[in-house]
Amino acid sequence: MAKVIFYEKPGCKNNTKQKTLLVAAGHELETYDIRTYAWTPDTLRLFFGTRPITDWFNKAAPSIKSGEVVPEKIDPDTALKLMIQDPLLIRRPLIQVDDRREVGFDIDRIDAWIGLKPVDASQQAISEELMRQDLQGCAHGNEHHHEPGKCKH
């Protein structure tokens, strides 16, 4: 079992489901609020690896949905600067185990990396149900809108 450092937006439904899967698999979680963590460009950049810049962003962030921020038109330095100013732009969760860091919650990638099989048979059904869900996108689907600052997930 791994010690997982998990950067989330508290109250986010998908982050809660992701943590449930990790705990059911026996992992120890150390959680941080992605919005209040003291990010630097160097510490944040480590989570993105060789992914395209567009994959760094939370597509449900208010400033992206409004068109104020267009990830396809941003260079890496600008992207990191914007994310530090507005952490809601950061795709969630950010996950670290030892020296490896990842962005997002691709179930197959996480399972291959640290394992998501429940350690207790009593958690099997809920884990199987969660693993069938899309835990990367917005838990409310793509067709909803929020007033600025009112997103509760």
Side-chain angles (χ1 to χ4, degrees):
M1 302 317 126
K3 179 180 179 184
V4 177
I5 301 172
F6 190 92
Y7 301 89
E8 65 171 330
K9 178 183 173 196
C12 171
K13 289 182 180 185
N14 270 347
N15 285 165
T16 299
K17 292 175 183 180
Q18 295 156 355
K19 291 186 300 183
T20 299
L21 268 177
L22 291 166
V23 170
H27 301 297
E28 174 189 345
L29 293 183
E30 182 178 328
T31 61
Y32 294 95
D33 187 332
I34 203 166
R35 300 167 301 174
T36 59
Y37 191 80
W39 296 110
T40 68
D42 292 336
T43 58
L44 187 56
R45 179 65 183 93
L46 293 171
F47 288 92
F48 305 128
T50 60
R51 292 176 184 259
I53 294 169
T54 55
D55 288 353
W56 301 5
F57 284 90
N58 170 14
K59 292 171 180 48
S63 57
I64 290 178
K65 291 186 90 153
S66 72
E68 179 183 340
V69 173
V70 181
E72 295 81 6
K73 296 182 179 181
I74 297 176
D75 64 85
D77 291 337
T78 301
L80 294 168
K81 180 181 174 187
L82 289 171
M83 289 176 174
I84 289 168
Q85 291 171 351
D86 180 6
L88 290 179
L89 289 169
I90 304 169
R91 183 175 168 200
R92 303 186 299 268
L94 297 179
I95 301 173
Q96 179 179 350
V97 175
D98 298 322
D99 291 333
R100 182 171 169 182
R101 293 166 179 86
E102 292 287 341
V103 59
F105 201 87
D106 179 304
I107 289 175
D108 293 333
R109 183 186 298 251
I110 303 289
D111 190 30
W113 173 24
I114 59 174
L116 289 175
K117 182 178 180 183
V119 294
D120 182 339
S122 69
Q123 298 292 316
Q124 186 71 31
I126 193 161
S127 290
E128 287 175 359
E129 172 59 29
L130 289 173
M131 289 181 73
R132 284 192 291 269
Q133 297 178 24
D134 173 12
L135 299 182
Q136 291 201 79
C138 177
H140 298 279
N142 293 325
E143 298 302 320
H144 74 287
H145 301 279
H146 302 284
E147 293 177 45
K150 300 293 183 187
C151 185
K152 300 295 183 198
H153 51 89

